[in-house]
Amino acid sequence: MHKDTILKLARGFRGRAKNCIRIARERVEKALQYAYRDRRSKKRDMRSLWIMRINAGARIYGLRYSNFMHGLNRENIQLNRKVLSEIAMNEPYSFKCLADISDQAIKAKAAAARPKLVP
């Protein structure tokens, strides 16, 4: 990179890292590495946050996250985790309907799997 580009990217850094080209080059390179890495980790962090919110919402209605998601998949309700977490936070009645549907699907599966006793 050109000297001007590096110093432009180094604006806001502390000490000589903002105006001494040799130090600025190292700091900018490291900053770009952090930015590349954290763009990917941000996606992982957001997904885990959505899962935590869905789990918290499902626990209110007596379901675990895995059972809740399995019940939705059995009923072919295809909502992604981002949307489900928003519903869990902002639309409790809608989320309760989803939890009821999921719970019924799980109970129907359990009833079908139970062996029939013939007297």
Side-chain angles (χ1 to χ4, degrees):
M1 278 194 263
H2 192 265
K3 177 181 173 181
D4 294 334
T5 308
I6 291 170
L7 290 177
K8 185 175 181 182
L9 289 171
R11 277 192 298 182
F13 289 1
R14 296 181 64 173
R16 289 193 308 165
K18 69 175 170 280
N19 52 18
C20 182
I21 188 65
R22 186 174 294 177
I23 299 169
R25 184 178 291 121
E26 294 170 2
R27 293 287 69 216
V28 165
E29 186 176 323
K30 193 66 174 177
L32 292 172
Q33 289 173 356
Y34 286 142
Y36 178 85
R37 179 196 68 192
D38 291 339
R39 279 195 300 273
R40 277 129 192 92
S41 67
K42 180 182 177 185
K43 294 167 181 58
R44 291 191 294 268
D45 293 342
M46 291 307 295
R47 182 180 169 99
S48 69
L49 175 66
W50 297 332
I51 289 171
M52 282 187 266
R53 288 176 177 171
I54 295 167
N55 189 27
R59 296 275 176 160
I60 292 171
Y61 303 111
L63 292 169
R64 291 195 313 254
Y65 168 77
S66 58
N67 289 340
F68 175 73
M69 294 302 286
H70 181 65
L72 290 181
N73 286 336
R74 284 188 61 83
E75 290 296 317
N76 200 25
I77 297 174
Q78 297 178 348
L79 293 172
N80 63 20
R81 285 161 183 81
K82 181 179 180 180
V83 171
L84 284 172
S85 74
E86 289 294 319
I87 292 172
M89 285 176 36
N90 301 323
E91 299 285 338
Y93 295 116
S94 302
F95 194 80
K96 182 179 183 347
C97 292
L98 290 171
D100 291 342
I101 292 168
S102 177
D103 195 29
Q104 289 171 2
I106 292 168
K107 287 179 181 173
K109 179 186 175 190
R114 219 174 281 133
K116 304 282 187 211
L117 296 176
V118 179

